Amino acid sequence: MLRIAALAAVLLLLTGCGADWSEPHPAPSAVGALGPGFFAAPPHPEATITPAPGSWDAVRPSGGYRVVLVTSGADAPTKNLVAAVEEWAGEVDADLRTVAITHPHDLVPGITRALDLKPDLIVSAGNDLIDPLALVTASHLSQRFLVVGAELAEPTHNVTSVDWAGASFRGEGLGASSTYDPASFTPERCASAIRAGVAAVLNGLTGIVVWL
């Protein structure tokens, strides 16, 4: 019974999942180009870039982009991030699936469930996921991760983060580059975060922090 309860705590919601993910598909690519001011020079690993507002607007993924959103938390910032990812996926016709984790003991298993789907990109929303992601991501270097509204303290080359003043949580017991402010997670800021982050990933700008 405990085993069943633990599995039930990780809810896998399938959204727009007409395609069979067990079948291979063409490697994703960027459609459209980054605008002036997205970055001045190719960033080094773990660097922070501050793109010009809107310099990511023309970029979208190629068709059939497979994305898993891993989310944990019922707070307003996490809800706004989730809504922004879902809205973006609908706009660009990404194939989005969601792993919603409802119990703290299931954080790592939930991330593992997302990995098992072998998506093009795993997006995380919720501060509870940061410490588990720090444990998991370095062991899965071929999988690309995008963290929105937080960041890993020492990301590997496959982890990209989008952050801003008020949203720079880096894990329990670690210092942040700004004071956490839930009010900073506006729908507009969250929408910019997913779009700027995906634009960076599609253009090979990974292992960095995109600062809005």
Side-chain angles (χ1 to χ4, degrees):
M1 292 298 292
L2 290 176
R3 176 68 173 173
I4 294 173
L7 290 174
V10 180
L11 305 178
L12 180 62
L13 308 177
L14 305 184
T15 310
C17 53
D20 180 1
W21 282 23
S22 66
E23 296 294 327
H25 76 136
S29 60
V31 177
L34 294 171
F38 192 85
F39 66 99
H44 58 79
E46 300 185 36
T48 297
I49 64 172
T50 306
S55 58
W56 53 80
D57 285 347
V59 179
R60 60 188 292 137
S62 53
Y65 196 43
R66 296 175 179 177
V67 180
V68 175
L69 170 63
V70 182
T71 179
S72 177
D75 54 285
T78 301
K79 288 181 178 179
N80 283 349
L81 289 170
V82 169
V85 174
E86 292 174 343
E87 181 178 358
W88 163 81
E91 289 177 0
V92 303
D93 200 26
D95 193 347
L96 177 67
R97 304 185 182 192
T98 300
V99 175
I101 301 170
T102 60
H103 194 285
H105 293 302
D106 292 320
L107 291 167
V108 171
I111 297 169
T112 301
R113 180 77 63 90
L115 285 163
D116 289 343
L117 291 170
K118 296 179 172 58
D120 298 315
L121 181 67
I122 293 176
V123 179
S124 78
N127 286 347
D128 290 345
L129 290 161
I130 299 306
D131 288 325
L133 282 169
L135 293 173
V136 172
T137 52
S139 299
H140 298 274
L141 296 176
S142 63
Q143 174 64 61
R144 290 185 171 182
F145 293 84
L146 176 62
V147 180
V148 286
E151 61 186 85
L152 302 193
E154 297 182 0
T156 43
H157 69 80
N158 56 324
V159 182
T160 303
S161 298
V162 185
D163 235 338
W164 57 86
S168 52
F169 181 77
R170 300 198 307 159
E172 294 296 337
L174 297 176
S177 51
S178 68
T179 302
Y180 182 70
D181 179 10
S184 71
F185 288 75
T186 63
E188 295 77 15
R189 183 65 62 79
C190 294
S192 293
I194 181 62
R195 287 162 175 78
V198 170
V201 171
L202 290 173
N203 281 275
L205 302 172
T206 60
I208 63 171
V209 175
V210 178
W211 188 265
L212 303 182

